Amino acid sequence: MSHAAFPDAAALAQFVCHEARLIDEKRFDEWYELFSDDGCYWIPLTRGQPPQETFTSISREDKLLLKVRIERLRHPHAYSQQQPSFCQHVLQQPLVESIDAQHNLCVLRTPYLYVETQLDTQIVLSGVAWHHLRMQGDALRIVLKKVELLNCDAALPAIQLFP
Amino acid sequence: MSAPPDRMNLPRYRGQPQALRALVRPDSVHRNVYVDPEVFELEMEQLWRNTWIYVGHDSQVPNAGDYFSTRLGREPVILLRGADGEVRVLFNRCAHKGTRLVSAVHGRCEGGLLRCPYHGWTYRLDGTLRTVPLRAGYEATGFDNSEAAQGLRAVTAVNYRGFVFARPAPQGIGFEEFFGESLSSIDNMVERSPEGRLEVAGGVLRYLHDCNWKLFVENLNDAMHPMVAHESSAGTAKRLWDGQPPGAPVPMVIEQFTPFVNGYDFMDRMGLKIFDNGHSYTGVNFSIHSKYAQVGEYEKRMAAAYGEERAQRILGEARHNTVYYPSLTIKGAIQAIRVVRPLAVDRTLIESWTFRLAGAPDELLQRTATYTRLINSPTSVVGHDDLHCYRAIQEGLAAGGSEWVSLHRNYHGGEGVGLTGIYGATNEVSMRGQFRAWSRFMEAQPAPQPAEPPPPARPAPTPSR
């Protein structure tokens, strides 16, 4: 399948910022569309965790599970969201780690803080996002968004949106 | 109206067994069992010391000197593999000044010794004191007869097929008497391995619940909540999958999510088995785990190990949640357990551990890891609504009007004698049974009656001075 070349580093970084913004603004349908059909949103449970699914993850969502999560947030009986949660990603400059035109894969690394709030309760998480991107036609798509939480091994409270 | 200031801090339950007993009625419990900090303190001192608390699995400490540190109620302990291969539970407290000896969750004792990070006292792996720096300073001080000289205190512990339980109180109910026939759920989980052995694998999810620990435990055998609380998550998964043509391969996540919204009839017919001392399991006849796809290679290995008939019997058990009151719940059919670690009256840590069935294909462990992620992770959409309800109870109970929590569902007066038996799974008898155990073990336990007359007393030692 033919596809355009990767855009420059500034445009790639902008894509990552846009992706975070869509979550923060709860534009989840648009966010969902950023993922390729085989896309995956992954929060490992341990540092340096291998990709095998024989290890538990904090989150590991294919598009079906992302859809379930997004649809549930809108469900009138999503009781834990009766009082809705909001979140904000505060990103450090996304940097291009590698571009592999031959395999149509580009990787960006973005350290960030994530704040999630629900009325009087606020949690702050720190993490590094690894965006594995691919060109699909002339659009960038997320093949993998891997979120390495700094305190992935901590006893964590409920995380209801998308760090 | 609030209590007058001079009464506010007086103990209402400590040393007042009748007040404590009055919190539990056969058909309801007083809200203070969930919200009163003093009751929580007494739970830590009595219930969580007089009963058998889950410590960890012996596969977490495979070699001599390996340790796993955790807490039993309030007390820090070490699960430690000795030089003799035995697994012991020791209080994680230096005999000298009380320093916690090890701080890592998992580790290995350097040189086969535990060494205190403060003054360098060392202990052998059985807890006995080995060396004290400048020992001469203790000569003729009475130290040799002191508690400190005895080394690390061991907790009474039993390793049941890899699952290590401990009873922190020095006296009380025996292991077999406490768990009785409920151990058959652990048996089934272990026998699901073609080699009859489990290994902790896949990581541990640690999820903070800002609610009382009992709300979590009670929920595990509550078959009346899933279709309500999980409608938004499991119901959405079911709806998204409903459009698929019949025969389309069902993704594991759909297979695991959708049974949560089965109806009341299914849930009730699942069945509920009640044992003494607060233990119980749902899924006597079948469960939400019954219809998982079969893994041919695994079944072949099971048949080879146990014979066709016995293998079918082992795999035919699809118990849902077994509650080992108060500290552990297990899902044998999924090889996942949830360990309850109370932190405060309204704060509980839930640890979800998963197991590899020794000799089984990796696909089984993948199913286990997927399930525990979907249900037990802090990001779980199923868990969010459960936790929301626990928190809502924790806060709702502050409301005036009624101070009692109803456990009436299918209650009949005849429960006065014994509860053990099989019930419909929507019965609240599991909770009534838990509170019956709660009342019993909230009181100091009598010393066991010796089976034989004690040996004749030795002559009193001659006083040294």
Side-chain angles (χ1 to χ4, degrees):
Chain A
M1 215 169 74
S2 72
H3 54 81
F6 283 109
D8 63 16
L12 289 166
Q14 195 179 353
F15 177 87
V16 169
C17 295
H18 179 65
E19 189 258 340
R21 177 179 173 169
L22 291 180
I23 299 174
D24 294 349
E25 294 181 354
K26 295 194 166 185
R27 292 154 66 185
F28 295 128
D29 293 327
E30 289 172 71
W31 179 62
Y32 174 84
E33 293 302 330
L34 293 185
F35 285 82
S36 61
D37 286 348
D38 58 347
C40 177
Y41 169 72
W42 181 31
I43 309 176
L45 177 57
T46 56
R47 299 178 181 90
Q49 183 170 321
Q52 286 79 7
E53 290 198 58
T54 47
F55 208 93
T56 305
S57 296
I58 293 174
S59 217
R60 188 173 182 134
E61 316 259 298
D62 58 11
K63 285 198 91 170
L64 174 62
L65 277 173
L66 281 181
K67 192 78 169 171
V68 170
R69 199 175 281 274
I70 290 166
E71 296 278 318
R72 175 200 169 255
L73 286 172
R74 289 196 270 255
H75 196 288
H77 296 161
Y79 296 107
S80 81
Q81 285 297 304
Q82 229 173 35
Q83 181 67 47
S85 298
F86 298 91
C87 69
Q88 184 158 296
H89 294 75
V90 183
L91 305 186
Q92 196 172 309
Q93 172 67 37
L95 292 178
V96 178
E97 283 282 311
S98 64
I99 294 186
D100 179 348
Q102 194 189 337
H103 295 99
N104 191 12
L105 184 71
C106 162
V107 178
L108 284 95
R109 175 182 184 274
T110 313
Y112 66 100
L113 292 176
Y114 172 81
V115 186
E116 187 177 296
T117 149
Q118 189 171 31
L119 200 60
D120 299 329
T121 306
Q122 178 172 291
I123 60 168
V124 179
L125 299 169
S126 181
V128 172
W130 296 84
H131 285 80
H132 293 226
L133 306 178
R134 156 197 307 160
M135 291 304 298
Q136 191 173 297
D138 56 2
L140 281 167
R141 287 289 175 265
I142 302 168
V143 182
L144 171 68
K145 179 181 178 182
K146 175 176 160 186
V147 170
E148 294 174 338
L149 290 182
L150 182 62
N151 63 343
C152 57
D153 53 355
L156 292 166
I159 304 167
Q160 298 205 51
L161 297 174
F162 301 94
Chain B
M1 207 170 80
S2 58
D6 62 330
R7 301 261 318 149
M8 267 183 15
N9 295 320
L10 290 179
R12 289 179 294 165
Y13 299 106
R14 183 177 297 283
Q16 306 190 39
Q18 279 179 331
L20 212 49
R21 258 178 249 137
L23 294 174
V24 176
R25 294 174 179 167
D27 55 11
S28 42
V29 290
H30 192 272
R31 66 178 173 190
N32 282 1
V33 303
Y34 301 106
V35 301
D36 190 299
E38 191 191 339
V39 172
F40 178 80
E41 290 303 320
L42 292 170
E43 285 180 336
M44 295 302 102
E45 292 172 25
Q46 298 292 340
L47 177 73
W48 283 74
R49 302 192 83 244
N50 295 331
T51 55
W52 289 85
I53 307 299
Y54 180 68
V55 185
H57 194 265
D58 72 358
S59 65
Q60 292 171 255
V61 290
N63 303 305
D66 288 349
Y67 67 79
F68 164 63
S69 65
T70 183
R71 297 200 319 183
L72 304 180
R74 283 276 162 80
E75 300 169 279
V77 296
I78 317 170
L79 178 71
L80 181 65
R81 177 84 65 175
D84 55 2
E86 290 299 309
V87 170
R88 290 180 182 77
V89 179
L90 304 172
F91 285 120
N92 190 359
R93 176 208 192 277
C94 181
H96 176 209
K97 287 198 80 165
T99 315
R100 192 177 60 176
L101 282 175
V102 300
S103 302
V105 178
H106 282 103
R108 180 171 293 184
C109 297
E110 206 180 313
L113 293 173
L114 285 152
R115 183 167 191 268
C116 179
Y118 196 12
H119 298 104
W121 290 29
T122 60
Y123 303 89
R124 297 176 195 90
L125 298 181
D126 62 2
T128 53
L129 182 61
R130 183 169 176 272
T131 55
V132 174
L134 283 183
R135 183 83 185 228
Y138 285 103
E139 275 172 21
T141 61
F143 171 78
D144 289 342
N145 296 318
S146 72
E147 286 193 33
Q150 293 171 33
L152 306 179
R153 290 305 177 89
V155 190
T156 309
V158 166
N159 180 352
Y160 185 79
R161 307 193 78 167
F163 291 79
V164 181
F165 293 84
R167 191 199 61 216
Q171 63 190 37
I173 191 168
F175 178 84
E176 294 281 344
E177 186 192 347
F178 183 64
F179 285 120
E181 289 293 308
S182 72
L183 292 169
S184 57
S185 286
I186 290 181
D187 292 339
N188 180 256
M189 184 161 156
V190 174
E191 284 162 5
R192 284 170 172 267
S193 152
E195 297 174 12
R197 193 163 51 81
L198 301 172
E199 295 163 0
V200 164
V204 53
L205 286 163
R206 303 173 68 236
Y207 191 173
L208 272 181
H209 281 49
D210 36 1
C211 68
N212 187 266
W213 64 271
K214 293 187 291 299
L215 294 172
F216 177 87
V217 174
E218 288 167 32
N219 188 59
L220 276 280
N221 279 174
D222 181 320
M224 286 299 290
H225 83 282
M227 61 295 282
V228 181
H230 303 313
E231 179 198 348
S232 70
S233 53
T236 296
K238 187 168 188 289
R239 184 174 55 79
L240 288 175
W241 189 250
D242 271 349
Q244 296 294 318
V250 182
M252 200 182 272
V253 297
I254 295 295
E255 186 178 80
Q256 294 182 343
F257 261 152
T258 51
F260 276 81
V261 282
N262 284 347
Y264 291 112
D265 181 54
F266 175 95
M267 292 294 179
D268 192 59
R269 282 189 293 112
M270 201 160 70
L272 167 64
K273 172 103 175 169
I274 303 289
F275 304 97
D276 277 333
N277 301 322
H279 317 306
S280 58
Y281 71 86
T282 34
V284 179
N285 307 309
F286 52 84
S287 78
I288 62 169
H289 307 306
S290 293
K291 289 199 170 165
Y292 292 167
Q294 296 178 330
V295 179
E297 174 57 27
Y298 170 55
E299 304 217 333
K300 233 186 284 174
R301 291 188 204 175
M302 285 293 286
Y306 294 101
E308 196 78 48
E309 194 191 332
R310 183 156 171 229
Q312 284 309 314
R313 215 167 45 237
I314 292 167
L315 298 177
E317 285 277 349
R319 299 182 185 186
H320 172 222
N321 290 313
T322 300
V323 173
Y324 289 107
Y325 194 73
S327 69
L328 173 71
T329 77
I330 77 164
K331 248 181 205 311
I334 282 285
Q335 299 93 51
I337 67 170
R338 285 175 277 192
V339 182
V340 181
R341 311 271 189 211
L343 304 175
V345 67
D346 55 358
R347 216 166 142 76
T348 307
L349 172 61
I350 303 299
E351 293 177 351
S352 298
W353 297 83
T354 44
F355 294 83
R356 179 194 301 279
L357 298 167
D362 271 356
E363 200 175 336
L364 276 287
L365 181 55
Q366 185 182 332
R367 176 187 286 176
T368 302
T370 301
Y371 184 89
T372 202
R373 183 188 87 229
L374 288 179
I375 307 303
N376 301 328
S377 166
T379 66
S380 163
V381 286
V382 171
H384 287 160
D385 285 319
D386 279 327
L387 179 55
H388 173 79
C389 293
Y390 310 150
R391 291 163 64 166
I393 296 170
Q394 200 73 33
E395 296 191 11
L397 286 176
S402 170
E403 300 192 344
W404 293 88
V405 173
S406 162
L407 301 175
H408 286 86
R409 180 173 286 284
N410 303 108
Y411 171 72
H412 302 293
E415 277 180 9
V417 187
L419 298 178
T420 56
I422 292 174
Y423 300 81
T426 58
N427 196 319
E428 284 175 342
V429 65
S430 62
M431 299 160 211
R432 295 192 291 272
Q434 287 167 21
F435 278 104
R436 188 175 287 211
W438 188 89
S439 287
R440 174 178 176 187
F441 294 107
M442 280 294 271
E443 297 188 10
Q445 300 299 293
Q449 295 297 314
E452 293 167 20
R458 287 188 210 151
T462 314
S464 57
R465 67 172 83 176

